[in-house]
Amino acid sequence: MEQHPSYLMGFDLGGTKMLCGVLNSSYEIVSTTKKKTGDASRSEETFERIVACVQAALDDAGVAASEVVALGVAAPGPIDLRTGTLLETPNLGFQQFPLAERLSREVGIDVRVENDVNAGLYGEYVKGAAGRYRHVLGLFPGTGVGGAIVIDGKLYRGAQGGAGEIGHMIMQLDGRLCGCGQYGCLEAMVSRGAMAREAALLVTNGKAPTIAEKAGTDVSKMRAGVFKKAIDAGDTEVARLVDRAADILGIGMANCVNIFNPEAIVVGGGLVEKLGSSYLDRAAASMRSHAMSHLAAGVEIIAATLGDDAAVVGAAAVAHEHVRESRGGGR
Ligand SMILES: [Zn+2]
């Protein structure tokens, strides 16, 4: 039997599902447990589900709370990372909710909360696609466009923990309205939501027969897989729309390459998983033709490899490092 606690836990708190993993000290997942987030309008109900999911994960792995060094929670922002308080997450019902403190008390494990996109990139850094690099950016085009930054092997969080909003880089003056309230953000041009709104117009004009058949004009049904099917079926206007999104994503990457001089950009999320290398290669080519050439030459554009596990692994690693730093007497 182990004399010292040697396991870690990572928890991905999503709007529709929560995923909790138990990991060994090499950040390998021992087991994962999934639950629906459920009706998340009431914070106490959501919190009870989080606690139940952590306890179920411990049971599934056959591990006691006393054997766990730390639990990292990946949550949507904004978050006070210092105290682990969820400041305002309306779709989970949380407002100024001291998640780290409450959860730590409930399950008896040190808890650290991290922004979910940061956790996703950090997972790819410690155990996934980006392990060979020290300077890495993450871009996750999906419902929105998540971004995160690792500089010299460390997550870069900025003054208030809010760094990495690459999706809200403004690409076009007077462009399309973004969910953040600004116009012309990268996210408003290349996210799946943005592509779906354009595809709905094509459907209305009779130019996207496969999407018409699979989703009609219902943008919520236009998942990444629907775009893939339309392209495979030869819907040329849809292929053009997706190519254009990849080209613009590449210009966003080029701006980041010029600012951060990274070695790699990890791209993850549903669009990359479904559309694959044609989408990624096109974005990479666009990046190379728009970034400063000596910087572009040194950048790899790579697909994320951990999928849904990335945030679980990254959150566990963040929590582990925090415990080690605080025990080491650092600030
Ligand atoms: Zn925006």
Side-chain angles (χ1 to χ4, degrees):
M1 293 298 281
E2 301 273 356
Q3 293 297 304
H4 299 288
S6 59
Y7 291 98
L8 296 155
M9 294 181 86
F11 192 105
D12 185 13
L13 177 59
T16 52
K17 68 177 189 326
M18 41 181 81
L19 186 64
C20 187
V22 174
L23 295 84
N24 64 23
S25 54
S26 310
Y27 304 134
E28 289 155 351
I29 290 180
V30 176
S31 70
T32 54
T33 302
K34 199 188 279 194
K35 279 193 189 303
K36 285 211 167 88
T37 304
D39 173 17
S41 59
R42 287 177 296 266
S43 61
E44 287 305 323
E45 255 174 57
T46 310
F47 179 67
E48 275 171 30
R49 281 170 187 267
I50 292 171
V51 172
C53 188
V54 170
Q55 271 153 359
L58 286 167
D59 290 347
D60 290 350
V63 168
S66 60
E67 295 177 273
V68 178
V69 182
L71 161 60
V73 180
I79 303 162
D80 181 338
L81 295 174
R82 206 172 33 85
T83 61
T85 301
L86 304 187
L87 299 178
E88 200 187 341
T89 38
N91 65 339
L92 293 169
F94 290 127
Q95 187 96 36
Q96 298 286 337
F97 191 88
L99 180 63
E101 187 197 322
R102 291 275 309 271
L103 186 57
S104 179
R105 207 186 316 148
E106 200 71 37
V107 299
I109 302 170
D110 270 345
V111 174
R112 190 77 181 168
V113 181
E114 182 55 80
N115 171 284
D116 52 3
V117 187
N118 283 355
L121 175 60
Y122 205 58
E124 296 289 345
Y125 173 70
V126 298
K127 209 65 196 173
R132 291 190 290 129
Y133 309 100
R134 298 283 295 169
H135 303 278
V136 189
L137 305 179
L139 266 175
F140 301 88
T143 312
V145 176
I149 304 159
V150 165
I151 295 178
D152 204 16
K154 285 194 172 308
L155 272 173
Y156 179 73
R157 299 180 176 89
Q160 294 168 280
E165 295 287 2
I166 297 170
H168 300 287
M169 164 191 312
I170 294 175
M171 303 285 288
Q172 187 182 12
L173 288 180
D174 305 320
R176 226 182 266 155
L177 180 62
C178 181
C180 74
Q182 297 288 339
Y183 291 84
C185 294
L186 180 65
E187 175 168 311
M189 301 175 81
V190 309
S191 63
R192 187 187 51 77
M195 285 165 49
R197 282 189 293 278
E198 280 182 48
L201 280 175
L202 291 178
V203 170
T204 307
N205 289 297
K207 291 179 175 170
T210 308
I211 291 188
E213 181 197 322
K214 305 279 179 205
T217 54
D218 184 347
V219 292
S220 70
K221 288 187 181 152
M222 294 180 200
R223 315 295 307 175
V226 174
F227 284 96
K228 169 75 173 146
K229 286 193 180 105
I231 294 169
D232 289 349
D235 289 10
T236 52
E237 290 294 322
V238 176
R240 194 173 309 182
L241 182 167
V242 172
D243 282 351
R244 185 171 149 75
D247 290 344
I248 297 170
L249 184 70
I251 297 174
M253 287 176 176
N255 290 332
C256 294
V257 165
N258 289 348
I259 297 167
F260 292 103
N261 185 18
E263 298 162 279
I265 301 178
V266 177
V267 191
L271 286 172
V272 179
E273 281 166 23
K274 294 283 192 246
L275 300 172
S277 59
S278 61
Y279 172 79
L280 209 56
D281 291 350
R282 187 154 181 126
S286 169
M287 180 280 290
R288 288 188 206 291
S289 66
H290 290 94
M292 300 186 80
S293 57
H294 65 293
L295 300 179
V299 186
E300 303 277 350
I301 306 296
I302 47 182
T305 56
L306 297 182
D308 283 354
D309 291 339
V312 168
V313 174
V318 164
H320 190 203
E321 281 170 15
H322 181 71
V323 165
R324 281 196 298 208
E325 275 166 28
S326 54
R327 283 179 191 163
R331 289 188 297 139

